[in-house]
Coordinates of all heavy atoms in Angstrom, one line a residue:
M1 N -34.4 39.3 -72.2 CA -33.7 38.5 -71.2 C -32.5 39.3 -70.7 O -32.0 40.2 -71.3 CB -33.3 37.2 -71.9 CG -31.8 36.9 -72.0 SD -31.4 35.3 -72.7 CE -31.4 35.7 -74.5
V2 N -32.1 39.0 -69.5 CA -31.0 39.7 -68.8 C -29.8 38.9 -69.0 O -29.7 37.7 -68.9 CB -31.3 39.8 -67.3 CG1 -30.1 40.4 -66.6 CG2 -32.5 40.7 -67.1
R3 N -28.7 39.6 -69.4 CA -27.4 38.9 -69.5 C -26.5 39.6 -68.5 O -26.3 40.8 -68.5 CB -26.8 39.1 -70.9 CG -25.5 38.3 -71.1 CD -24.8 38.5 -72.4 NE -24.1 39.7 -72.6 CZ -22.9 40.0 -72.1 NH1 -22.3 39.2 -71.3 NH2 -22.4 41.2 -72.3
F4 N -25.9 38.8 -67.6 CA -25.0 39.3 -66.6 C -23.6 39.4 -67.2 O -23.2 38.6 -68.0 CB -25.0 38.3 -65.4 CG -26.3 38.3 -64.6 CD1 -27.2 37.3 -64.8 CD2 -26.6 39.4 -63.7 CE1 -28.4 37.3 -64.1 CE2 -27.7 39.4 -63.0 CZ -28.7 38.4 -63.2
K5 N -22.9 40.5 -66.8 CA -21.6 40.7 -67.3 C -20.6 40.5 -66.2 O -19.5 41.2 -66.2 CB -21.5 42.1 -67.9 CG -22.5 42.4 -69.1 CD -22.3 43.7 -69.7 CE -22.9 44.8 -68.9 NZ -22.9 46.1 -69.5
L6 N -20.9 39.6 -65.3 CA -20.0 39.4 -64.2 C -18.6 38.9 -64.6 O -17.6 39.4 -64.0 CB -20.6 38.4 -63.2 CG -19.9 38.1 -61.9 CD1 -19.6 39.4 -61.1 CD2 -20.7 37.1 -61.0
K7 N -18.5 38.0 -65.5 CA -17.2 37.5 -66.0 C -16.3 38.7 -66.5 O -15.2 38.8 -66.2 CB -17.3 36.5 -67.1 CG -17.7 35.1 -66.5 CD -17.7 34.1 -67.7 CE -18.1 32.7 -67.2 NZ -18.2 31.7 -68.2
E8 N -17.0 39.6 -67.2 CA -16.3 40.7 -67.8 C -15.8 41.6 -66.6 O -14.7 42.1 -66.7 CB -17.1 41.5 -68.7 CG -17.4 40.8 -70.0 CD -18.8 40.1 -70.0 OE1 -19.2 39.6 -68.9 OE2 -19.4 40.0 -71.1
M9 N -16.6 41.8 -65.6 CA -16.3 42.6 -64.5 C -15.1 42.0 -63.7 O -14.2 42.7 -63.3 CB -17.5 42.8 -63.5 CG -18.6 43.5 -64.2 SD -18.3 45.2 -64.7 CE -18.0 46.0 -63.1
I10 N -15.1 40.7 -63.6 CA -14.0 40.0 -62.9 C -12.7 40.1 -63.7 O -11.7 40.4 -63.1 CB -14.4 38.5 -62.6 CG1 -15.5 38.4 -61.7 CG2 -13.2 37.7 -62.1 CD1 -16.1 37.0 -61.6
L11 N -12.8 40.0 -65.0 CA -11.6 40.1 -65.8 C -11.0 41.5 -65.8 O -9.8 41.7 -65.7 CB -11.9 39.7 -67.3 CG -12.1 38.2 -67.5 CD1 -12.6 38.0 -69.0 CD2 -10.8 37.5 -67.3
K12 N -11.9 42.5 -65.8 CA -11.5 43.9 -65.7 C -10.8 44.2 -64.4 O -9.7 44.8 -64.4 CB -12.7 44.8 -65.9 CG -12.4 46.3 -65.8 CD -13.6 47.1 -66.0 CE -13.2 48.6 -65.8 NZ -14.4 49.5 -65.7
R13 N -11.4 43.7 -63.3 CA -10.8 44.0 -62.0 C -9.4 43.2 -61.9 O -8.5 43.7 -61.3 CB -11.7 43.6 -60.9 CG -11.2 44.0 -59.5 CD -12.3 44.1 -58.6 NE -11.7 44.5 -57.3 CZ -12.5 44.9 -56.3 NH1 -13.8 45.0 -56.4 NH2 -12.0 45.2 -55.1
S14 N -9.4 42.0 -62.4 CA -8.2 41.2 -62.4 C -7.1 41.9 -63.1 O -5.9 42.0 -62.7 CB -8.4 39.8 -63.0 OG -9.3 39.1 -62.2
Y15 N -7.4 42.5 -64.3 CA -6.4 43.3 -65.1 C -5.9 44.5 -64.3 O -4.7 44.7 -64.2 CB -7.0 43.7 -66.4 CG -6.1 44.5 -67.2 CD1 -5.1 43.9 -68.0 CD2 -6.3 45.9 -67.3 CE1 -4.2 44.7 -68.7 CE2 -5.5 46.6 -68.1 CZ -4.4 46.1 -68.8 OH -3.6 46.8 -69.6
E16 N -6.9 45.2 -63.7 CA -6.5 46.4 -63.0 C -5.7 46.1 -61.8 O -4.8 46.9 -61.4 CB -7.8 47.2 -62.5 CG -8.6 47.8 -63.7 CD -10.0 48.3 -63.3 OE1 -10.4 48.0 -62.1 OE2 -10.6 49.0 -64.1
E17 N -5.9 45.0 -61.1 CA -5.1 44.7 -59.9 C -4.0 43.8 -60.2 O -3.2 43.4 -59.3 CB -6.1 44.0 -58.9 CG -7.1 45.0 -58.3 CD -8.0 44.4 -57.3 OE1 -7.7 43.2 -56.8 OE2 -9.0 45.0 -56.9
N18 N -3.9 43.4 -61.5 CA -2.8 42.5 -61.9 C -2.7 41.2 -61.1 O -1.6 40.8 -60.7 CB -1.4 43.3 -61.9 CG -0.4 42.6 -62.7 OD1 -0.7 41.9 -63.7 ND2 0.9 42.7 -62.3
K19 N -3.9 40.6 -60.9 CA -3.9 39.3 -60.2 C -5.2 38.6 -60.5 O -6.2 39.3 -60.9 CB -3.7 39.5 -58.7 CG -4.9 40.2 -58.0 CD -4.7 40.3 -56.5 CE -5.9 40.9 -55.9 NZ -5.8 40.9 -54.4
V20 N -5.2 37.3 -60.4 CA -6.4 36.5 -60.6 C -7.3 36.7 -59.4 O -6.8 36.7 -58.3 CB -6.1 35.1 -60.8 CG1 -7.3 34.2 -60.9 CG2 -5.2 34.9 -62.1
I21 N -8.6 36.9 -59.7 CA -9.6 37.1 -58.6 C -10.5 35.9 -58.6 O -11.4 35.8 -59.4 CB -10.4 38.4 -58.7 CG1 -9.4 39.6 -58.7 CG2 -11.4 38.5 -57.6 CD1 -10.1 40.9 -58.9
P22 N -10.3 34.9 -57.7 CA -11.1 33.7 -57.6 C -12.5 34.1 -57.1 O -12.7 35.0 -56.4 CB -10.4 32.8 -56.6 CG -9.1 33.5 -56.3 CD -9.2 34.9 -56.7
L23 N -13.5 33.3 -57.5 CA -14.9 33.5 -57.1 C -15.0 33.5 -55.6 O -15.8 34.2 -55.0 CB -15.8 32.5 -57.7 CG -16.0 32.6 -59.2 CD1 -17.0 31.5 -59.7 CD2 -16.4 34.0 -59.7
R24 N -14.2 32.6 -54.9 CA -14.3 32.5 -53.5 C -13.9 33.8 -52.8 O -14.4 34.1 -51.7 CB -13.5 31.3 -53.0 CG -12.0 31.5 -53.1 CD -11.2 30.2 -52.5 NE -9.8 30.4 -52.8 CZ -9.2 30.0 -53.9 NH1 -9.9 29.4 -54.9 NH2 -7.9 30.2 -54.1
D25 N -13.0 34.6 -53.4 CA -12.6 35.9 -52.8 C -13.8 36.9 -52.9 O -14.0 37.7 -52.0 CB -11.4 36.5 -53.5 CG -10.1 35.7 -53.2 OD1 -10.1 34.8 -52.4 OD2 -9.0 36.1 -53.8
I26 N -14.5 36.8 -54.1 CA -15.7 37.7 -54.2 C -16.7 37.3 -53.2 O -17.4 38.1 -52.6 CB -16.2 37.6 -55.7 CG1 -15.1 38.1 -56.6 CG2 -17.5 38.5 -55.8 CD1 -15.4 37.9 -58.1
A27 N -16.9 36.0 -53.1 CA -17.9 35.4 -52.1 C -17.6 35.9 -50.7 O -18.5 36.4 -50.0 CB -17.9 33.9 -52.2
K28 N -16.3 35.8 -50.3 CA -15.9 36.2 -49.0 C -16.1 37.7 -48.8 O -16.6 38.1 -47.7 CB -14.4 35.9 -48.8 CG -13.9 36.0 -47.4 CD -12.5 35.5 -47.3 CE -12.0 35.6 -45.8 NZ -10.7 35.1 -45.7
A29 N -15.8 38.5 -49.8 CA -16.0 40.0 -49.6 C -17.4 40.4 -49.7 O -17.7 41.5 -49.1 CB -15.2 40.7 -50.8
T30 N -18.3 39.7 -50.3 CA -19.7 40.1 -50.5 C -20.7 39.4 -49.6 O -21.8 39.9 -49.4 CB -20.1 39.9 -52.0 OG1 -20.1 38.6 -52.3 CG2 -19.3 40.8 -52.9
G31 N -20.3 38.2 -49.1 CA -21.2 37.4 -48.3 C -22.2 36.6 -49.2 O -23.1 36.0 -48.7
I32 N -21.9 36.6 -50.5 CA -22.7 35.8 -51.4 C -22.0 34.5 -51.6 O -20.8 34.4 -51.7 CB -22.8 36.5 -52.8 CG1 -23.5 37.9 -52.7 CG2 -23.7 35.7 -53.8 CD1 -23.3 38.8 -53.9
S33 N -22.8 33.4 -51.6 CA -22.1 32.1 -51.7 C -21.4 32.0 -53.1 O -21.8 32.5 -54.1 CB -23.2 31.0 -51.6 OG -24.0 30.9 -52.8
S34 N -20.4 31.2 -53.1 CA -19.6 30.9 -54.3 C -20.5 30.3 -55.4 O -20.3 30.6 -56.6 CB -18.4 30.0 -54.0 OG -17.5 30.6 -53.2
G35 N -21.4 29.4 -55.0 CA -22.3 28.8 -55.9 C -23.2 29.8 -56.6 O -23.4 29.7 -57.8
T36 N -23.7 30.8 -55.8 CA -24.6 31.8 -56.4 C -23.8 32.7 -57.4 O -24.2 33.0 -58.5 CB -25.2 32.7 -55.3 OG1 -26.1 31.8 -54.5 CG2 -26.0 33.8 -55.9
I37 N -22.6 33.0 -57.0 CA -21.7 33.9 -57.9 C -21.4 33.1 -59.2 O -21.4 33.6 -60.3 CB -20.4 34.3 -57.1 CG1 -20.8 35.3 -56.0 CG2 -19.4 35.0 -58.1 CD1 -19.7 35.7 -55.1
S38 N -21.1 31.8 -59.0 CA -20.8 31.0 -60.2 C -22.0 30.9 -61.1 O -21.9 31.0 -62.4 CB -20.4 29.6 -59.8 OG -20.2 28.8 -60.9
R39 N -23.2 30.7 -60.6 CA -24.4 30.7 -61.4 C -24.7 32.0 -62.1 O -25.1 32.0 -63.3 CB -25.7 30.3 -60.6 CG -25.7 28.8 -60.2 CD -26.9 28.3 -59.6 NE -27.1 28.9 -58.2 CZ -26.6 28.4 -57.1 NH1 -25.7 27.3 -57.2 NH2 -26.8 28.9 -56.0
I40 N -24.5 33.1 -61.4 CA -24.6 34.4 -62.1 C -23.6 34.6 -63.2 O -24.0 35.0 -64.3 CB -24.5 35.6 -61.0 CG1 -25.6 35.5 -60.0 CG2 -24.5 36.9 -61.7 CD1 -25.5 36.5 -58.8
A41 N -22.4 34.2 -62.9 CA -21.3 34.4 -63.9 C -21.5 33.5 -65.1 O -21.1 33.9 -66.2 CB -19.9 34.1 -63.3
N42 N -22.1 32.3 -64.9 CA -22.2 31.4 -66.0 C -23.6 31.3 -66.6 O -23.8 30.4 -67.5 CB -21.7 30.0 -65.6 CG -20.2 30.0 -65.2 OD1 -19.4 30.4 -66.0 ND2 -19.9 29.7 -64.0
S43 N -24.5 32.1 -66.2 CA -25.9 32.0 -66.7 C -26.0 32.7 -68.1 O -25.2 33.5 -68.5 CB -26.9 32.7 -65.8 OG -26.7 34.1 -65.9
F44 N -26.9 32.2 -68.9 CA -27.2 32.7 -70.2 C -28.6 33.3 -70.3 O -29.4 32.9 -71.1 CB -27.0 31.7 -71.3 CG -25.6 31.2 -71.4 CD1 -25.2 30.0 -70.8 CD2 -24.6 32.0 -72.0 CE1 -23.9 29.6 -70.8 CE2 -23.3 31.6 -72.0 CZ -22.9 30.4 -71.5
G45 N -28.9 34.1 -69.3 CA -30.3 34.7 -69.3 C -31.3 33.9 -68.6 O -32.5 34.3 -68.6
D46 N -30.9 32.8 -68.0 CA -31.9 32.0 -67.3 C -31.7 31.9 -65.8 O -32.2 30.9 -65.2 CB -31.9 30.6 -68.0 CG -30.5 29.9 -67.8 OD1 -29.6 30.6 -67.4 OD2 -30.4 28.7 -68.2
Y47 N -31.1 32.8 -65.2 CA -30.9 32.8 -63.8 C -31.4 34.1 -63.1 O -31.2 35.2 -63.6 CB -29.4 32.7 -63.4 CG -29.2 32.5 -61.9 CD1 -29.5 31.4 -61.3 CD2 -28.7 33.6 -61.2 CE1 -29.3 31.3 -59.9 CE2 -28.5 33.5 -59.8 CZ -28.8 32.3 -59.2 OH -28.7 32.2 -57.8
N48 N -32.2 33.9 -62.1 CA -32.7 35.0 -61.3 C -32.0 35.1 -60.0 O -31.8 34.1 -59.4 CB -34.2 34.8 -61.0 CG -35.1 34.9 -62.3 OD1 -34.9 35.7 -63.1 ND2 -36.0 34.0 -62.4
T49 N -31.6 36.4 -59.7 CA -31.0 36.6 -58.4 C -31.7 37.7 -57.7 O -32.5 38.4 -58.3 CB -29.5 36.9 -58.6 OG1 -28.8 36.8 -57.3 CG2 -29.2 38.2 -59.3
T50 N -31.3 38.0 -56.5 CA -32.0 39.0 -55.7 C -31.3 40.4 -55.9 O -30.1 40.5 -56.3 CB -31.9 38.7 -54.2 OG1 -30.5 38.7 -53.8 CG2 -32.5 37.3 -53.9
T51 N -32.1 41.4 -55.7 CA -31.5 42.8 -55.7 C -30.4 43.0 -54.7 O -29.5 43.7 -54.9 CB -32.6 43.8 -55.6 OG1 -33.4 43.6 -54.4 CG2 -33.5 43.8 -56.8
D52 N -30.6 42.2 -53.6 CA -29.5 42.3 -52.5 C -28.2 41.8 -53.1 O -27.1 42.4 -52.9 CB -30.0 41.5 -51.3 CG -29.0 41.6 -50.1 OD1 -28.7 42.8 -49.8 OD2 -28.6 40.6 -49.6
N53 N -28.2 40.7 -53.8 CA -27.0 40.2 -54.4 C -26.4 41.2 -55.5 O -25.2 41.4 -55.5 CB -27.2 38.8 -55.1 CG -27.4 37.7 -54.1 OD1 -27.0 37.8 -52.9 ND2 -27.9 36.6 -54.5
L54 N -27.3 41.8 -56.3 CA -26.8 42.8 -57.2 C -26.2 44.0 -56.5 O -25.2 44.5 -57.0 CB -28.0 43.2 -58.1 CG -28.6 42.1 -59.0 CD1 -29.8 42.7 -59.8 CD2 -27.6 41.6 -60.0
A55 N -26.8 44.4 -55.5 CA -26.3 45.6 -54.7 C -24.9 45.2 -54.2 O -24.0 46.1 -54.2 CB -27.2 46.0 -53.6
K56 N -24.7 44.0 -53.6 CA -23.4 43.6 -53.0 C -22.4 43.6 -54.1 O -21.2 44.0 -53.9 CB -23.6 42.3 -52.3 CG -24.3 42.4 -51.0 CD -24.5 41.0 -50.4 CE -25.3 41.1 -49.1 NZ -25.6 39.7 -48.6
L57 N -22.7 43.0 -55.3 CA -21.8 42.9 -56.4 C -21.4 44.3 -56.9 O -20.2 44.6 -57.2 CB -22.3 42.0 -57.5 CG -22.4 40.6 -57.2 CD1 -23.1 39.8 -58.3 CD2 -20.9 40.0 -57.0
C58 N -22.4 45.2 -57.0 CA -22.1 46.6 -57.5 C -21.2 47.3 -56.5 O -20.3 48.0 -56.9 CB -23.4 47.4 -57.6 SG -24.4 46.9 -59.1
Q59 N -21.4 47.1 -55.2 CA -20.5 47.7 -54.2 C -19.1 47.1 -54.3 O -18.1 47.8 -54.3 CB -21.0 47.4 -52.8 CG -22.3 48.3 -52.5 CD -22.9 47.9 -51.1 OE1 -22.5 47.0 -50.5 NE2 -23.8 48.8 -50.7
Y60 N -19.0 45.8 -54.5 CA -17.7 45.2 -54.6 C -16.9 45.7 -55.8 O -15.7 46.0 -55.8 CB -17.9 43.6 -54.7 CG -16.6 42.9 -54.9 CD1 -15.7 42.6 -53.8 CD2 -16.1 42.5 -56.2 CE1 -14.5 42.0 -54.0 CE2 -14.9 41.8 -56.4 CZ -14.1 41.6 -55.3 OH -12.9 40.9 -55.4
F61 N -17.6 45.8 -57.0 CA -17.0 46.3 -58.2 C -17.0 47.8 -58.4 O -16.5 48.3 -59.4 CB -17.6 45.6 -59.4 CG -17.3 44.1 -59.5 CD1 -18.2 43.1 -59.2 CD2 -16.0 43.7 -59.9 CE1 -17.9 41.8 -59.3 CE2 -15.7 42.4 -60.0 CZ -16.6 41.4 -59.7
D62 N -17.6 48.5 -57.4 CA -17.8 49.9 -57.5 C -18.4 50.3 -58.9 O -17.8 51.1 -59.7 CB -16.5 50.7 -57.3 CG -16.7 52.2 -57.2 OD1 -17.7 52.6 -56.7 OD2 -15.7 52.9 -57.5
C63 N -19.6 49.7 -59.2 CA -20.2 49.9 -60.4 C -21.7 50.1 -60.2 O -22.2 50.0 -59.1 CB -20.0 48.7 -61.4 SG -20.8 47.2 -60.9
T64 N -22.4 50.3 -61.3 CA -23.9 50.4 -61.3 C -24.5 49.1 -61.8 O -23.8 48.3 -62.5 CB -24.4 51.5 -62.2 OG1 -24.1 51.2 -63.6 CG2 -23.7 52.9 -61.8
P65 N -25.8 48.8 -61.6 CA -26.4 47.6 -62.2 C -26.2 47.6 -63.7 O -26.1 46.5 -64.3 CB -27.8 47.7 -61.7 CG -27.8 48.5 -60.5 CD -26.7 49.5 -60.7
N66 N -26.2 48.7 -64.3 CA -26.1 48.8 -65.8 C -24.7 48.3 -66.2 O -24.6 47.7 -67.3 CB -26.3 50.2 -66.2 CG -26.7 50.3 -67.7 OD1 -27.4 49.5 -68.2 ND2 -26.2 51.3 -68.4
D67 N -23.7 48.4 -65.4 CA -22.4 47.9 -65.7 C -22.4 46.3 -65.5 O -21.6 45.7 -66.1 CB -21.3 48.5 -64.8 CG -21.2 50.0 -64.9 OD1 -21.3 50.4 -66.1 OD2 -21.0 50.7 -63.9
L68 N -23.2 45.8 -64.6 CA -23.2 44.4 -64.2 C -24.1 43.6 -65.1 O -23.9 42.4 -65.2 CB -23.6 44.3 -62.8 CG -23.4 43.0 -62.1 CD1 -21.9 42.6 -62.1 CD2 -23.9 43.1 -60.6
M69 N -25.1 44.2 -65.7 CA -26.0 43.4 -66.5 C -26.6 44.2 -67.7 O -26.5 45.5 -67.6 CB -27.2 42.8 -65.7 CG -28.0 43.9 -65.0 SD -29.1 43.1 -63.8 CE -30.1 44.4 -63.4
T70 N -27.1 43.5 -68.7 CA -27.7 44.2 -69.8 C -28.9 43.4 -70.3 O -29.1 42.3 -70.0 CB -26.7 44.3 -71.0 OG1 -27.2 45.2 -72.0 CG2 -26.3 43.0 -71.6
I71 N -29.8 44.1 -71.0 CA -31.0 43.5 -71.5 C -30.7 43.1 -73.0 O -30.3 43.9 -73.8 CB -32.2 44.4 -71.5 CG1 -32.5 44.9 -70.0 CG2 -33.4 43.8 -72.1 CD1 -32.9 43.8 -69.1
V72 N -30.9 41.9 -73.3 CA -30.8 41.3 -74.7 C -32.2 41.0 -75.2 O -32.9 40.2 -74.5 CB -29.8 40.1 -74.7 CG1 -29.7 39.5 -76.1 CG2 -28.5 40.4 -74.1
P73 N -32.6 41.5 -76.3 CA -33.9 41.1 -76.8 C -34.0 39.6 -77.0 O -33.1 39.0 -77.4 CB -34.0 41.9 -78.2 CG -32.9 42.9 -78.1 CD -31.8 42.4 -77.2
D74 N -35.2 39.1 -76.7 CA -35.5 37.7 -77.0 C -35.5 37.5 -78.5 O -36.0 38.3 -79.3 CB -36.9 37.3 -76.4 CG -36.9 37.3 -74.9 OD1 -35.8 37.0 -74.3 OD2 -37.9 37.5 -74.3
P75 N -35.1 36.3 -79.0 CA -35.1 36.0 -80.4 C -36.6 35.8 -80.8 O -37.4 35.4 -80.0 CB -34.3 34.8 -80.5 CG -34.3 34.2 -79.2 CD -34.4 35.3 -78.2
P76 N -36.9 36.1 -82.1 CA -38.2 35.8 -82.6 C -38.6 34.3 -82.4 O -37.7 33.5 -82.5 CB -38.2 36.2 -84.0 CG -36.9 37.0 -84.2 CD -36.0 36.6 -83.1
V77 N -39.8 34.1 -82.1 CA -40.3 32.7 -82.0 C -41.1 32.3 -83.3 O -41.9 33.1 -83.8 CB -41.3 32.6 -80.8 CG1 -41.9 31.2 -80.6 CG2 -40.6 33.0 -79.5
K78 N -40.8 31.1 -83.8 CA -41.4 30.7 -85.0 C -42.7 29.9 -84.7 O -42.7 29.1 -83.8 CB -40.5 29.8 -85.8 CG -39.3 30.6 -86.4 CD -38.6 29.7 -87.4 CE -37.4 30.6 -88.0 NZ -36.9 30.1 -89.2
D79 N -43.8 30.2 -85.4 CA -45.0 29.5 -85.2 C -45.0 28.2 -85.9 O -44.0 27.8 -86.6 CB -46.2 30.3 -85.5 CG -46.3 30.6 -87.0 OD1 -45.6 30.0 -87.8 OD2 -47.1 31.5 -87.4
T80 N -46.0 27.4 -85.9 CA -46.0 26.1 -86.5 C -45.9 26.1 -88.0 O -45.5 25.1 -88.6 CB -47.3 25.3 -86.1 OG1 -48.4 26.1 -86.5 CG2 -47.4 25.0 -84.6
Q81 N -46.2 27.3 -88.7 CA -46.0 27.4 -90.1 C -44.7 27.9 -90.5 O -44.4 28.2 -91.6 CB -47.1 28.3 -90.7 CG -48.5 27.6 -90.9 CD -49.2 27.5 -89.5 OE1 -49.1 28.3 -88.7 NE2 -50.0 26.4 -89.4
G82 N -43.8 28.2 -89.5 CA -42.5 28.7 -89.7 C -42.4 30.2 -89.8 O -41.3 30.7 -90.0
A83 N -43.5 30.9 -89.6 CA -43.5 32.4 -89.6 C -42.9 32.9 -88.2 O -43.2 32.3 -87.2 CB -44.8 32.9 -89.9
E84 N -42.2 34.0 -88.3 CA -41.6 34.5 -87.0 C -42.6 35.5 -86.4 O -43.3 36.2 -87.1 CB -40.3 35.2 -87.3 CG -39.2 34.3 -87.7 CD -37.9 35.0 -87.9 OE1 -37.8 36.2 -87.7 OE2 -36.9 34.3 -88.1
S85 N -42.6 35.5 -85.1 CA -43.4 36.5 -84.3 C -42.6 36.8 -83.1 O -41.8 36.0 -82.7 CB -44.8 35.9 -84.0 OG -44.7 34.8 -83.1
K86 N -42.9 38.0 -82.5 CA -42.2 38.3 -81.3 C -42.8 37.6 -80.1 O -44.0 37.4 -80.1 CB -42.3 39.9 -81.1 CG -41.5 40.6 -82.1 CD -41.4 42.1 -81.7 CE -40.5 42.8 -82.6 NZ -40.4 44.2 -82.3
K87 N -42.0 37.3 -79.2 CA -42.4 36.6 -78.0 C -43.2 37.6 -77.1 O -42.8 38.8 -77.0 CB -41.2 36.1 -77.2 CG -41.6 35.3 -76.0 CD -40.3 34.8 -75.3 CE -40.6 33.9 -74.1 NZ -39.4 33.4 -73.5
Q88 N -44.4 37.2 -76.7 CA -45.2 38.2 -75.9 C -45.2 37.8 -74.4 O -45.3 36.6 -74.1 CB -46.6 38.2 -76.4 CG -46.7 38.7 -77.8 CD -48.2 38.7 -78.3 OE1 -49.1 38.4 -77.6 NE2 -48.4 39.1 -79.5
D89 N -45.1 38.8 -73.6 CA -45.2 38.5 -72.1 C -46.7 38.6 -71.7 O -47.5 39.4 -72.2 CB -44.5 39.6 -71.3 CG -43.0 39.5 -71.5 OD1 -42.5 38.4 -71.7 OD2 -42.3 40.5 -71.5
H90 N -47.1 37.7 -70.9 CA -48.5 37.7 -70.3 C -48.4 38.2 -68.9 O -47.8 37.6 -68.1 CB -49.0 36.3 -70.4 CG -49.1 35.7 -71.7 ND1 -50.1 36.0 -72.6 CD2 -48.3 34.9 -72.4 CE1 -49.9 35.4 -73.7 NE2 -48.8 34.7 -73.7
Q91 N -49.1 39.3 -68.7 CA -49.1 39.9 -67.4 C -50.3 39.7 -66.6 O -51.4 39.7 -67.0 CB -48.7 41.4 -67.5 CG -47.4 41.6 -68.1 CD -47.1 43.1 -68.2 OE1 -47.9 44.0 -68.2 NE2 -45.8 43.4 -68.5

């Protein structure tokens, strides 16, 4: 699953600039809606966004996608007998 680190990026930039950076300021600077930015910032691996949004956020924060998100392994899934198995993707 993908975990976005947008909140961490906002906190880092706020610290560097010594001011609070509201989501609406990021939205205005990037052209991404405040709602989309909020969903990205508050998602727990269950939100999909476009590469265009990722590119705009990377430009805003002067970072790479690797700085903005990370891959977190899916937890093991238990079968009906309680045994753990890895989640498999079907392609």
Side-chain angles (χ1 to χ4, degrees):
M1 116 177 86
V2 174
R3 184 181 79 77
F4 292 101
K5 300 185 283 186
L6 184 55
K7 283 184 179 179
E8 292 94 326
M9 298 298 293
I10 295 169
L11 287 173
K12 179 181 176 191
R13 186 157 182 169
S14 293
Y15 177 78
E16 291 169 350
E17 295 183 7
N18 197 30
K19 66 178 184 176
V20 174
I21 300 175
L23 295 183
R24 69 179 175 275
D25 288 0
I26 299 169
K28 189 174 184 179
T30 62
I32 303 169
S33 74
S34 295
T36 297
I37 292 172
S38 177
R39 284 188 292 279
I40 293 170
N42 295 305
S43 73
F44 295 101
D46 58 354
Y47 183 73
N48 293 318
T49 190
T50 66
T51 54
D52 187 48
N53 286 343
L54 294 176
K56 289 175 182 179
L57 289 169
C58 286
Q59 289 175 347
Y60 178 82
F61 289 106
D62 190 26
C63 69
T64 67
N66 202 38
D67 297 322
L68 193 58
M69 58 189 193
T70 188
I71 302 295
V72 177
D74 289 332
V77 177
K78 293 192 178 197
D79 65 16
T80 56
Q81 281 76 32
E84 289 186 357
S85 64
K86 289 189 175 182
K87 187 176 181 180
Q88 296 181 2
D89 290 329
H90 298 281
Q91 296 177 347

